[in-house]
Amino acid sequence: DEAIDESYHVVFSTGCSEFQDWQSIGVFSSADAVGQRGPITRIASGCTPKQEESIRHAMSHLPKRCRVFFAPDTDVKDHAGRYYKYANKPLGMMHWLRETKIPKDATIALIDPDFYFLRPLWHDSFDGAERYFASGTAKKTPFPTPLARGTMIAQRYGIGGKPWTRAKGRNGQKDWDLRGYFASVGRPDSPANALDLTENAAGTFYSIGAPYMALAADWLPIATNWTGLMPMAVERNFGNLAEMYAMVIAVADLGIRPAMIDSLMVSNVGAGGEGWPWVDKIDPARACDPDLLGDASVPLPTFLHYCQRYEHTAKPPYDESAWIFSKYQVPDAILQCPAGEENLEDGAPPRKKAGRLRMRLDDAGFLPPDVVEMVERCPSITSEPQDIAVATQTVEFMNSTFALRKCDLRKVFREQPTLLLSNAARPTGIYDTGACPAILASTAGRPAAGPRKDKNDTATSIYDTVYLLSTVGVRPKHIKEMVVRWPQLLTLPIGQMLAVTDFLTSLDFEGSVGSLYRQHPWVLAAPVGTVREAVGVLVEEVGVRKLESVTRSYPRALLASRAELLAPVEMLKRRAGVAPGDAAGLVEAFPLVFGLSAGQIERVLDFWTNDLGLRDEDVPKICRAFPSLLGVEVERQANVRAFLREIGVNNVARFATRLPPVLAYDVDADLRPKMAHLAARALSVYDVVRFPAYFSYPLEGVIAPRTAFLEELGLPLTRFELKTLFTPSDEQFAERVLRVDAAEYASFKKAFASESSALNPRGPLRKFAPRGKKSGGGAFPSISPGAPPASDGDGPPKKGRRRRGPRPAA
């Protein structure tokens, strides 16, 4: 009945399974053992009424400060269409904060359910410098004492500043591109876009994880923002770190830069940045002494985060002894004690379902979260005892066949856990191959549509897949890459792959079918009937002559229906005035047009004619010459139009007609710096209007070194036409324009490049300086409209009037 101090709350988010029931009891009981004060709340998300009743019953036996809050389940889905359970953490936190009356000046610490208290966490936990420590970049973060609005304290983790990376997304993941994202939601000036937040710099503040501590007044906007960012994060990270990345973006977006310390937690015995230095100082004789939890004279981390596997290194491997702990070995039903059951301490402990399989996989290098994800995707892998032997044999065969790195092996089985089943137990899919039995037998010389009669194991199916790919020219190292990139390849029926291969081979492509599979392994799963129909439409109705080029550039066209293939072509004929005879050439030049909807194309064409003011007769010319402009976002093209007007171009339509690719250029990264470069050298928009192609040359590779060389020779840029300076090759620029030895300029250019990787704008016209906001990427950045080739050594000299400066004295 003692009054509960509501000024400090500890909360953690869980599901409703027995697995997390016992972990929750661990949080509550360890908190009691160390004398933790204040409420401790379990936020349980997505519970059924029966699960809620069971949890309430268990909570009724705990002290009143041990609480439970039931939250709705998330509707966020991952890249595979499954509900992303980790999104429940921000969602549950948001609901709890909205529906619970908590003083705004109260401190809230968010932890994970697999935490054990080693020390109490309270307002005075960081009052002295001796009560916490930080190392490395964590030392650079200012420590808030006391905790105040707009501040946070969190444990240092090894996640880095990944959301601030400029690297492209891989394996289907979107680019992080935070600047583009916040611009797309109307908040380009978000604090998360601060100019000093590069990937490395962000790691100083945002390489954090639980426990997170902040005031209640800050937590509601953090949780709300965190929840809203989850869909964005799961598109950019397919693993369980997406919720951590969304958390740090949410915090950064609110302008909070957390204090990052090491000593809040220990977890991975091989990792730095944790509280292990304190643990290492404990007298070995007291290592297992429970009285340590109450001995304030011994510094300890606040929590043990037991998400790892812990093994006694002085003992034999764990499959030969009991010297190991993993939370995945703990029986889910450990809290159940039915009447009349034998005392567990006197009898054998209950074996957790799938325990042996999990231990075998753990021994093969799989991490506990990998095993959990595999069982969730395919529960049948734990249903039969003999599956353990099959799984072990399959893992060993995959290792011997492909020599995969452990991380790649884990990825393959995480995404396709059915590989652990025998063929007889594996779920099969029926594919519309559109092929007769003779085709299915054509490559192997025997019927191959079904499983072999003599063997029925996964290893045989994998061997057949490898053999088929080898016969079409895929080298072993590339087969390995395909398996890692698209593990579903190993689960396809051999008959399906034979049928697709037979049809594609009949098309007589110059390149091998294997090279197509190497780049796009999913083609092997394409229904042959659909592929045959698509090929017919492309050749007979669209008029494509270079079928192989179209197929390799945009293989998804093979899966498109007749209506999907004809829609963009008909739109270009009707709306852009492209002649029927030119449509095929346009498709061959830009096959990704089939990836655009008719609505997307129409929006671009409307912008060209209505907003940009292009003449009707110019539209089809631009479509034929630069068809990839149809895939550039209208917003990006509008930014270019606005910039051209800003610098004084009166007839933007004519300018764009003379240099159509300019519509795809990035204003702040490309156009603005180039204009600033001219303005700093007393040139104006008049010079650019006379030679629009100036914007097509690279600043660092052509423009900057040539203008710097002119300055080195004492020649003002105003003495030359831009066309004279930039259209010739490097050799012609030196010898014909400046009348100097080409080797002299080559030497200067090399030294210039080594001294400066980028030339900063300088000069009087600061209004052209880059603004920091970066416009979003185009629809197809990998093949965005290219500039005319930079003449750095191969271009022919242009004819026309040329003003030469005097030849400098030797």
Side-chain angles (χ1 to χ4, degrees), residues 331 334 336-337 341-350:
I334 192 172
Q336 296 180 6
C337 299
E341 183 172 271
E342 183 180 8
N343 189 323
L344 294 182
E345 293 184 0
D346 298 332

Side-chain angles (χ1 to χ4, degrees), residues 276-390:
W276 291 111
W278 279 349
V279 175
D280 293 338
K281 293 178 182 179
I282 297 174
D283 183 352
R286 298 194 65 189
C288 297
D289 182 2
D291 292 338
L292 273 176
L293 298 180
D295 188 349
S297 66
V298 179
L300 282 178
T302 310
F303 295 100
L304 166 65
H305 187 187
Y306 57 95
C307 60
Q308 310 289 332
R309 186 186 81 183
Y310 304 98
E311 183 174 347
H312 198 300
T313 56
K315 293 292 179 180
Y318 71 86
D319 55 350
E320 299 176 17
S321 74
W323 292 89
I324 184 175
F325 173 80
S326 168
K327 66 181 181 181
Y328 299 101
Q329 291 177 285
V330 178
D332 286 343
I334 192 172
L335 299 180
Q336 296 180 6
C337 299
E341 183 172 271
E342 183 180 8
N343 189 323
L344 294 182
E345 293 184 0
D346 298 332
R351 188 187 67 177
K352 186 173 181 178
K353 184 178 181 181
R356 286 193 296 154
L357 175 61
R358 286 177 172 178
M359 290 172 67
R360 290 287 181 90
L361 294 173
D362 194 35
D363 190 38
F366 291 86
L367 299 179
D370 300 331
V371 182
V372 171
E373 184 174 349
M374 290 157 64
V375 173
E376 287 178 348
R377 290 193 180 193
C378 183
S380 58
I381 65 175
T382 64
S383 60
E384 298 294 336
Q386 61 266 27
D387 284 343
I388 297 175
V390 171

Side-chain angles (χ1 to χ4, degrees), residues 95 110 131 148 169 189 206 209 213 255 279 295 314 383 426 466 520 537 590 611 633 643 687 716 732 735 743 754:
H95 278 274
L110 175 62
R131 305 190 68 176
D189 298 324
Y206 300 113
M213 286 154 286
V279 175
D295 188 349
S383 60
R426 186 186 306 170
V466 172
H520 310 284
V537 172
F590 184 59
D611 297 341
E633 296 171 351
F643 170 76
D687 299 279
Q732 292 160 350
E735 295 182 346
S754 65

Side-chain angles (χ1 to χ4, degrees), residues 759-771:
L759 193 64
N760 292 321
R762 51 190 172 89
L765 298 186
R766 293 294 183 179
K767 67 178 183 178
F768 296 125
R771 294 178 172 174

Side-chain angles (χ1 to χ4, degrees), residues 25-39:
I25 295 298
V27 173
F28 294 133
S29 60
S30 65
D32 187 65
V34 301
Q36 175 67 23
R37 292 173 285 170

Side-chain angles (χ1 to χ4, degrees), residues 218-301:
D218 285 325
W219 262 116
L220 182 56
I222 289 173
T224 304
N225 208 14
W226 187 7
T227 302
L229 286 165
M230 282 306 308
M232 179 273 279
V234 298
E235 292 177 338
R236 289 158 173 78
N237 182 277
F238 290 167
N240 56 6
L241 293 182
E243 61 92 2
M244 297 181 70
Y245 290 140
M247 168 60 161
V248 297
I249 298 171
V251 172
D253 184 38
L254 295 173
I256 299 173
R257 298 200 173 185
M260 185 168 65
I261 60 177
D262 295 6
S263 53
L264 278 168
M265 178 205 76
V266 287
S267 180
N268 185 343
V269 295
E274 298 184 3
W276 291 111
W278 279 349
V279 175
D280 293 338
K281 293 178 182 179
I282 297 174
D283 183 352
R286 298 194 65 189
C288 297
D289 182 2
D291 292 338
L292 273 176
L293 298 180
D295 188 349
S297 66
V298 179
L300 282 178

Side-chain angles (χ1 to χ4, degrees), residues 124-192:
D124 60 357
S125 291
F126 311 103
D127 279 358
E130 75 283 355
R131 305 190 68 176
Y132 66 91
F133 68 86
S135 63
T137 56
K139 290 182 178 179
K140 300 178 182 179
T141 57
F143 199 86
T145 51
L147 201 60
R149 285 291 303 270
T151 63
M152 172 181 277
I153 303 172
Q155 168 65 36
R156 179 184 184 182
Y157 278 65
I159 65 173
K162 185 65 177 292
W164 284 267
T165 182
R166 293 185 177 182
K168 295 293 183 182
R170 298 168 57 187
N171 301 321
Q173 299 173 127
K174 287 188 175 181
D175 303 345
W176 277 104
D177 187 21
L178 290 187
R179 296 192 184 281
Y181 170 77
F182 280 108
S184 72
V185 297
R187 299 190 60 247
D189 298 324
S190 163

Side-chain angles (χ1 to χ4, degrees), residues 600-620:
Q600 287 176 281
I601 296 175
E602 189 167 26
R603 283 193 295 274
V604 172
L605 295 174
D606 284 343
F607 174 78
W608 287 357
T609 55
N610 299 333
D611 297 341
L612 197 59
L614 294 182
R615 298 181 303 175
D616 289 342
E617 58 267 30
D618 290 330
V619 172

